[in-house]
Amino acid sequence: MLDATLKSQLKAYLERVTQPIEIVASLDDGAKSREMHDLLVEITSLSNHISLRVDGDDARRPSFSLNRPGGNISLRFAGIPMGHEFTSLVLALLQVGGHPSKASADVIAQIASLKGEFNFETYFSLSCQNCPDVVQALNLMAVLNPNVRHVAIDGALFQDEVEARKVMAVPSLYLNGQVFGQGRMGLEEILGKIDTSAGERQAEKINAKDAFDVLVVGGGPAGAAAAIYAARKGIRTGVAAERFGGQVLDTMAIENFISVQETEGPKLATALEEHVKQYDVDIMNLQRGEALIPATDGGLHEIRLASGASLKAKSVILATGARWREMNVPGEKDYRNRGVAYCPHCDGPLFKGKRVAVIGGGNSGVEAAIDLAGIVAHVTLIEFDSQLRADAVLQRKLHSLPNVKVITSALTTEVLGDGQKVNGLRYKDRTTDELHDVQLEGIFVQIGLLPNTDWLKGTVELSPRGEIIVDAKGQTNVPGVFAAGDVTTVPYKQIVIAVGEGAKASLAAFDHLIRTSAPA
């Protein structure tokens, strides 16, 4: 299963294993079991520390567990962890084999001290770029604490289970048989949900911090660039981010970031964070801005956070980015993650053989329809305008697909369902005003982005679209408060543009500091 290059790389990684690993596989006579067996045999051939047994009795087949002989680690893959999950497999092998995690000492101690029983199940898809964060976090917790058990389940391989539990979005997490969460979650976020006092402890630490010269709110490309440029000036720099990487984490293929021929969103997000960490920057993750209190009489700006903490700074750079735009029609919120989805790469495999719709005829919508057409039975693309807005090359590809229907001049008016999941949508023909119903099982919304500025209304000047109005230097109407990236009025929401705007705003903030007060 592994090509020569991948085997060579994996062999090099497994040289870091210091403790014996026992793989126990639970197999049947199916093709996937044979495929899993071949993979596990290849892995064991690459390290003398790894042994394989095929006498497992787990009910999920094919699956395999990783443990130390005589150990008490409960970590299992139900499915073949290739695609995006191959990294999860490699990390699990290393961690079970004794290689230390890169998690901070505080986080490791927090995991080890957890009391109680935590039986986690994660449903993933091999094409989901958000799933590995969850799988890797829970695997590490299972390695560090015997009270934590985790099984990662390929939803496409165990579709009966997915149907029974009505899983229609990945990653989907269950704890002790109950729904725990959906969507991307990092290690600290998961810990925060099960260790309820962790948030209070973190808020106390944040409140105790001294004022920053530059405080960046947001950890996407703009925020990362702003932090690096500020830190390189030798001034006290902080970053408060709800999730480092921002919208990039939800992006699949990136082929237009200059000098990087091709990458994926999560990889770029990791690279951004690692670059920021090369400098003296105080990164505060899982922190969402709730209010901006502008400085008065030459004082300090204050950012109040949803956690209850607050931070103060001489200058602030707002880089909170944007989120998926919703249709705001009846039924959309009711059936979110029950047929209404926003990430075709993540959730597409769960709709294999079914009928779906894509809302939006721009590049994102047409790309989603093309991708889904290779998985689902039929795709209906619905566009509000009289014609598609995607690039011509994408439109040609779309129209060449036999299982795609394009409807233009159509306004989606309602998501239909049976109380449990989506079973259709209703749209109005904008040329005749007639209403039409389309029977289907999934709806993927791809109609653009909304700036994350609800918390800033009444503080900084916003455009009618809710974007922060900035000048050529990224300055807002509030002295000492700057903004950069997708959250602003700067046209063309592109990663490479956000990086440049973040650098520009940071340089402008430094210029403001040296003209108004001496930075620390």
Side-chain angles (χ1 to χ4, degrees):
M1 288 189 63
L2 305 177
D3 60 37
T5 301
L6 200 54
K7 286 179 72 170
S8 177
Q9 292 172 343
L10 180 56
K11 183 177 177 63
Y13 277 117
L14 294 179
E15 289 175 357
R16 305 176 188 178
V17 170
T18 59
Q19 298 185 35
I21 302 171
E22 183 177 66
I23 303 177
V24 180
S26 299
L27 307 172
D28 55 25
D29 296 328
K32 286 297 181 181
S33 284
R34 292 192 293 273
E35 191 176 336
M36 176 178 286
H37 180 264
D38 291 345
L39 172 64
L40 298 178
V41 168
E42 285 191 82
I43 291 173
T44 55
S45 71
L46 300 177
S47 173
N48 294 328
H49 288 288
I50 304 176
S51 61
L52 172 63
R53 288 171 37 202
V54 293
D55 58 350
D57 58 0
D58 192 79
R60 291 188 179 99
R61 296 169 185 262
S63 69
F64 64 93
S65 63
L66 301 180
N67 204 343
R68 297 166 189 155
N72 56 359
I73 296 172
S74 182
L75 186 163
R76 177 176 296 276
F77 288 94
I80 303 171
M82 299 300 289
H84 288 290
E85 292 302 338
F86 186 70
T87 301
S88 301
L89 171 60
V90 174
L91 285 175
L93 288 166
L94 291 176
Q95 290 161 1
V96 173
H99 189 70
S101 163
K102 290 184 178 180
S104 69
D106 288 345
V107 168
I108 291 174
Q110 185 182 358
I111 295 171
S113 65
L114 290 173
K115 306 296 183 184
E117 295 293 324
F118 303 94
N119 298 308
F120 282 100
E121 299 165 290
T122 304
Y123 291 90
F124 68 87
S125 72
L126 295 178
S127 59
C128 170
Q129 71 270 28
N130 293 326
C131 296
D133 278 5
V134 174
V135 173
Q136 291 164 23
L138 292 172
N139 281 349
L140 176 61
M141 291 171 64
V143 170
L144 296 176
N145 190 323
N147 296 324
V148 179
R149 301 173 178 84
H150 179 227
V151 54
I153 307 160
D154 183 355
L157 196 56
F158 292 88
Q159 286 199 326
D160 290 345
E161 208 169 313
V162 164
E163 291 285 345
R165 279 183 154 171
K166 298 181 174 61
V167 175
M168 303 191 76
V170 290
S172 284
L173 289 74
Y174 285 75
L175 172 58
N176 298 333
Q178 302 298 315
V179 174
F180 178 76
Q182 289 180 320
R184 176 186 290 273
M185 296 176 70
L187 179 59
E188 294 178 3
E189 188 174 356
I190 294 171
L191 281 172
K193 290 190 69 172
I194 61 178
D195 183 2
T196 53
S197 63
E200 295 176 3
R201 295 196 301 270
Q202 181 68 7
E204 290 177 2
K205 290 181 180 179
I206 290 175
N207 282 330
K209 293 181 184 291
D210 293 333
F212 294 95
D213 288 316
V214 173
L215 175 62
V216 181
V217 185
I228 290 170
Y229 267 72
R232 286 175 61 87
K233 294 294 185 182
I235 59 179
R236 180 168 164 74
T237 305
V239 175
E242 188 169 3
R243 57 172 189 164
F244 211 100
Q247 193 72 21
V248 170
L249 290 165
D250 301 324
T251 305
M252 193 63 175
I254 297 172
E255 299 174 347
N256 57 0
F257 192 77
I258 311 306
S259 84
V260 179
Q261 293 185 17
E262 183 178 356
T263 187
E264 294 175 349
K267 291 182 180 179
L268 180 57
T270 298
L272 290 171
E273 186 169 11
E274 290 301 319
H275 195 175
V276 173
K277 287 179 177 178
Q278 295 298 309
Y279 295 91
D280 187 14
V281 176
D282 189 344
I283 299 176
M284 295 156 280
N285 271 318
L286 304 180
Q287 301 301 323
R288 177 168 53 85
E290 197 168 67
L292 164 65
I293 313 299
T296 56
D297 300 326
L300 298 170
H301 302 286
E302 181 181 354
I303 296 290
R304 293 179 183 171
L305 304 171
S307 64
S310 67
L311 293 163
K312 293 185 178 181
K314 295 179 179 178
S315 64
V316 172
I317 298 174
L318 303 170
T320 47
R323 63 191 183 276
W324 294 114
R325 183 185 296 273
E326 298 179 352
M327 297 182 292
N328 291 319
V329 300
E332 181 179 17
K333 291 192 186 317
D334 297 333
Y335 291 103
R336 183 166 187 163
N337 295 326
R338 293 194 291 163
V340 175
Y342 300 84
C343 180
H345 302 296
C346 301
D347 301 330
L350 299 178
F351 294 84
K352 182 178 180 180
K354 298 180 179 179
R355 298 159 300 174
V356 304
V358 172
I359 312 300
N363 281 349
S364 295
V366 172
E367 287 174 353
I370 292 170
D371 290 344
L372 289 166
I375 302 171
V376 304
H378 188 269
V379 179
T380 301
L381 188 145
I382 295 179
E383 163 59 29
F384 178 83
D385 205 349
S386 60
Q387 60 185 6
L388 301 182
R389 294 167 287 110
D391 294 343
V393 63
L394 293 174
Q395 292 194 43
R396 286 196 296 271
K397 174 64 176 176
L398 181 74
H399 290 302
S400 73
L401 300 173
N403 61 335
V404 174
K405 179 180 179 180
V406 176
I407 301 175
T408 56
S409 298
L411 171 65
T412 303
T413 59
E414 187 175 357
V415 173
L416 307 175
D418 60 8
Q420 297 294 322
K421 58 186 179 181
V422 166
N423 62 16
L425 68 77
R426 182 166 294 149
Y427 73 89
K428 181 174 73 172
D429 186 325
R430 296 178 55 239
T431 61
T432 65
D433 287 337
E434 293 182 16
L435 292 176
H436 301 272
D437 289 356
V438 181
Q439 292 184 336
L440 41 76
E441 289 78 37
I443 300 170
F444 290 84
V445 183
Q446 301 282 288
I447 55 174
L449 302 171
L450 277 177
N452 293 317
T453 55
D454 292 344
W455 63 290
L456 295 168
K457 291 178 179 177
T459 306
V460 297
E461 187 178 0
L462 305 178
S463 73
R465 295 170 59 90
E467 298 167 327
I468 302 173
I469 298 174
V470 293
D471 65 13
K473 293 184 177 180
Q475 172 73 59
T476 71
N477 66 307
V478 178
V481 176
F482 302 81
D486 287 1
V487 75
T488 72
T489 49
V490 171
Y492 311 120
K493 311 306 184 186
Q494 297 290 312
I495 295 171
V496 69
I497 292 175
V499 169
E501 291 297 313
K504 182 201 296 183
S506 189
L507 293 171
F510 181 73
D511 183 67
H512 168 80
L513 288 173
I514 62 177
R515 292 175 185 275
T516 57
S517 63

